[in-house]
Amino acid sequence: MENYIVSARKYRPQTFESVVGQQALTQTLQNAIRQNHLAHAYLFCGTRGTGKTSAAKVFAKAVNCENPVNGNPCGKCESCKSIAEGTSLNVIEMDAASNNGVDDARQIKESVVYSPTNGKYKVYIIDEAHQITKDAFNALLKTMEEPPAYVIFILATTEPHKIPVTILSRCQRYDFKRIATDTLEDRLREVATEEGITIEDKAIKYIATKAEGGMRDALSLLDQCSSFFLGKEITYERALEVLGAVDTSVFSEFLRALCARSVTDSINVIDRILVQGRDITTFTNDFIWHMRNVLLARSAEDIADVVDITADNMKLLQQEAKAISEKQLIRYIRVFSELANDLRFATQKRVLIEIAVIKICKPQMETNPDSISDRLKVIEDLIENGNLTKDTYREKTDNSGAGESASEESVRNEATRTAMNLPKATIEDLKSVSTAWGDVYRSMPEMYMACLRKATPSVRPEDGKFIIQFEDDTVMCLCDDESFKESLDKAFAKVMGKEVEYELTSLTQSSTSGVYYPPTSIFGMEVTIDDSDFE
């Protein structure tokens, strides 16, 4: 039985033309070989799977080929065959991830003194070169600067910024770019035809997009899909199932739910993809990419070259872009980018993505500039529609009460009714504030306790109404809502057993109207608030 070879190895390029997506670079190398203008050291850098090592092997075969054809190796001579089989002594491949020390560098220095047994050049291909230690690089400096005429070094790396400048200056640098999606698609079709794999065009496009410019990744994903659905057609839905991804329509649905600030709808989308067995990390990364596309569709006029989607999907993308602002999208991308980073180390991934959803749907929970901008956007929309009230703002930004059960609501309403049915407090009752006020404000939520700290309680003599006078309008506005009044009603009912009529005012309002409300100490009621309550 013939041993199985993965497609990335089986279809490894054997000539410069077959290194797809790097035509300008490979043409330069071909010309150098044809004219015999060879450097002694090369640096091949670029993202994973773009052909760095493959090009290095083709180069090594070409410079040693007995019958080169237009700068390409013939593939038939003994030298080409031995290099292809990995048995040639003229091509030394090293993995710097595991051979990165000074001793390994010394071995190279010692071996370069021996000329090739056959062929013209000894080629050292050092993969993951950025992992070589500083001391090892220092040991190689002189050798790389003035090696024997028959030695060529090729360093391959995904992180050229980690290579010392002293090494970079001794190498000719070639940057391998990401392979275009349509180029990956064409290559996938060729391999699928060669392997007898039936695959849908939409599935090919998705696999090519998922590979993010890497040929090795694209071929590996194709292998994964073909192994799972052996002998069956690989449809788009089946590709999504194998790779743990979701259809792009789900991203649109999820984004619309977030824009509507509907925690329930957003969580339902997450629940559905989990039930289908999709991967949360994959979903998060793909959703970030979707939002990036929406942002580009809103910010740029012509994005066909940078957003690789169909014409129909482009129209949908542009429709989505009209419904959300750039600031909102940037905030959403920031929140989900932080989530993507956290998911790498998380054991409870669902909890983290649900927290991210609540952060976005309830910007009042955050204090960073992005969330404040999101809250201002709500206010602007309400003003534009002529519908800005406290209730409409709360409805837009806080859905926390939406899930309140009927029993909880009835208990709350009953408590309010009970407080309202209590006897009204008289002026004589209000004189007891000297002993009761501290207990009243301590019964309030912590946020309101802080607001009441410097408020002055007083009584209006003509009608006996209780006045709470704040230092400024800002603090008063924070308390001038139904939540504060409901809490205060309950506090008075609990502590005094009476219904207290009161008004909220501020020193600014009082001075403007020319009315002065004396503090309760005028009535012999000295009110003190213990600072320890706020520690």
Side-chain angles (χ1 to χ4, degrees):
M1 182 177 179
E2 187 177 348
N3 291 332
Y4 172 74
I5 302 175
V6 296
S7 296
R9 289 181 56 197
K10 185 175 181 180
Y11 295 96
R12 183 185 287 276
Q14 300 300 318
T15 63
F16 283 116
E17 284 81 6
S18 58
V19 181
V20 297
Q22 314 294 345
Q23 283 75 16
L25 183 150
T26 54
Q27 185 62 53
T28 303
L29 292 174
Q30 275 185 266
N31 292 339
I33 293 171
R34 289 169 58 191
Q35 300 171 18
N36 199 28
H37 289 175
L38 300 178
H40 61 271
Y42 294 87
L43 177 66
F44 290 175
C45 49
T47 56
R48 67 184 190 278
T50 51
K52 299 183 297 296
T53 305
S54 296
K57 289 185 175 181
V58 172
F59 185 88
K61 285 197 292 183
V63 296
N64 281 303
C65 181
E66 298 172 9
N67 304 298
V69 181
N70 196 27
N72 274 310
C74 67
K76 298 177 181 178
C77 66
E78 289 301 320
S79 176
C80 288
K81 289 180 180 179
S82 62
I83 293 174
E85 294 169 358
T87 58
S88 174
L89 297 177
N90 291 346
V91 179
I92 299 93
E93 291 188 63
M94 289 182 58
D95 177 17
S98 54
N99 301 280
N100 55 11
V102 175
D103 290 339
D104 300 300
R106 285 173 180 161
Q107 287 183 11
I108 294 175
K109 289 179 64 177
E110 292 171 359
S111 65
V112 296
V113 299
Y114 300 104
S115 60
T117 54
N118 52 35
K120 303 175 184 177
Y121 295 94
K122 290 184 73 173
V123 182
Y124 290 83
I125 301 174
I126 305 176
D127 208 1
E128 302 298 332
H130 60 274
Q131 298 201 39
I132 297 176
T133 63
K134 183 179 179 180
D135 290 338
F137 267 130
N138 289 336
L140 280 175
L141 275 178
K142 194 62 178 176
T143 302
M144 288 191 66
E145 184 175 19
E146 296 179 359
Y150 51 79
V151 171
I152 297 175
F153 288 98
I154 302 178
L155 309 182
T157 179
T158 55
E159 301 181 51
H161 58 279
K162 292 185 178 180
I163 305 292
V165 177
T166 50
I167 295 293
L168 291 175
S169 64
R170 289 164 169 79
C171 301
Q172 278 192 13
R173 176 168 172 165
Y174 291 83
D175 289 281
F176 286 68
K177 61 183 181 179
R178 290 180 182 271
I179 303 171
T181 304
D182 55 352
T183 304
L184 290 175
E185 290 176 25
D186 292 340
R187 184 57 175 162
L188 287 172
R189 288 190 186 92
E190 292 175 5
V191 173
T193 302
E194 188 74 22
E195 293 294 315
I197 300 170
T198 306
I199 183 168
E200 204 174 61
D201 273 350
K202 194 175 180 181
I204 286 181
K205 179 174 284 292
Y206 176 74
I207 291 174
T209 303
K210 189 73 176 175
E212 296 182 351
M215 180 60 72
R216 183 172 61 241
D217 287 356
L219 293 175
S220 296
L221 293 175
L222 179 63
D223 283 349
Q224 189 176 343
C225 292
S226 62
S227 297
F228 193 87
F229 294 105
L230 186 63
K232 299 179 182 178
E233 181 184 10
I234 302 174
T235 62
Y236 174 64
E237 289 74 18
R238 285 175 172 173
L240 293 177
E241 182 180 346
V242 173
L243 303 178
V246 297
D247 185 40
T248 52
S249 62
V250 176
F251 301 136
S252 297
E253 180 185 354
F254 190 53
L255 184 57
R256 287 195 299 270
L258 293 176
C259 291
R261 293 185 175 82
S262 174
V263 176
T264 302
D265 291 344
S266 302
I267 297 298
N268 284 341
V269 173
I270 294 170
D271 185 66
R272 190 166 74 247
I273 65 172
L274 287 173
V275 169
Q276 294 172 353
R278 307 308 194 218
D279 180 62
I280 282 290
T281 302
T282 300
F283 172 78
T284 300
N285 290 328
D286 289 348
F287 182 59
I288 292 171
W289 195 254
H290 176 76
M291 288 191 291
R292 168 259 188 189
N293 291 343
V294 175
L295 181 61
L296 290 178
R298 183 173 179 82
S299 306
E301 294 182 1
D302 186 7
I303 59 170
D305 294 335
V306 292
V307 178
D308 187 29
I309 58 176
T310 62
D312 292 337
N313 285 339
M314 178 63 75
K315 291 180 181 178
L316 295 175
L317 202 68
Q318 291 170 341
Q319 290 175 0
E320 283 184 54
K322 294 177 182 178
I324 184 170
S325 69
E326 289 96 335
K327 289 183 179 179
Q328 280 181 291
L329 278 168
I330 290 171
R331 176 173 175 253
Y332 293 1
I333 292 172
R334 175 184 60 79
V335 172
F336 275 90
S337 295
E338 292 173 356
L339 170 66
N341 186 58
D342 294 340
L343 286 175
R344 294 185 300 165
F345 312 103
T347 55
Q348 298 295 332
K349 297 185 177 182
R350 176 169 183 159
V351 175
L352 290 184
I353 193 171
E354 288 174 347
I355 289 173
V357 164
I358 294 171
K359 271 186 181 181
I360 285 178
C361 293
K362 298 187 177 182
Q364 65 270 28
M365 295 178 62
E366 295 187 282
T367 58
N368 58 64
D370 289 343
S371 61
I372 293 173
S373 175
D374 214 9
R375 293 160 67 181
L376 288 174
K377 177 67 168 57
V378 175
I379 295 174
E380 289 172 354
D381 292 342
L382 292 173
I383 290 174
E384 186 176 344
N385 296 327
N387 193 29
L388 178 60
T389 65
K390 292 176 184 176
D391 291 337
T392 56
Y393 176 75
R394 188 178 296 112
E395 181 182 347
K396 285 285 187 181
T397 59
D398 187 4
N399 298 320
S400 58
E404 186 176 40
S405 66
S407 59
E408 291 172 335
E409 186 177 3
S410 63
V411 169
R412 179 172 59 81
N413 291 338
E414 180 62 30
T416 303
R417 286 195 296 271
T418 301
M420 296 302 292
N421 291 331
L422 293 172
K424 291 186 178 181
T426 65
I427 292 181
E428 293 300 321
D429 293 324
L430 295 178
K431 289 181 179 180
S432 65
V433 170
S434 59
T435 57
W437 178 247
D439 293 331
V440 170
Y441 92 84
R442 288 189 187 94
S443 300
M444 299 286 286
E446 184 175 345
M447 180 181 72
Y448 295 135
M449 284 176 61
C451 293
L452 289 171
R453 181 181 185 183
K454 294 186 179 180
T456 304
S458 60
V459 178
R460 189 157 56 201
E462 58 267 26
D463 59 5
K465 183 169 287 189
F466 193 70
I467 306 297
I468 302 175
Q469 188 169 255
F470 295 91
E471 284 192 334
D472 56 56
D473 292 335
T474 304
V475 179
M476 185 191 74
C477 289
L478 290 174
C479 297
D480 190 14
D481 63 13
E482 294 302 321
S483 177
F484 173 82
K485 293 174 182 177
E486 184 179 318
S487 299
L488 189 56
D489 286 340
K490 290 179 180 179
F492 277 128
K494 176 183 177 182
V495 176
M496 300 180 63
K498 299 290 180 73
E499 178 187 345
V500 178
E501 292 187 11
Y502 56 86
E503 285 185 8
L504 306 181
T505 186
S506 69
L507 288 174
T508 304
Q509 290 179 336
S510 300
S511 60
T512 302
S513 61
V515 178
Y516 170 70
Y517 298 116
T520 51
S521 57
I522 294 290
F523 300 94
M525 301 177 289
E526 187 65 36
V527 179
T528 59
I529 295 179
D530 188 358
D531 286 348
S532 63
D533 292 318
F534 299 93
E535 292 180 354

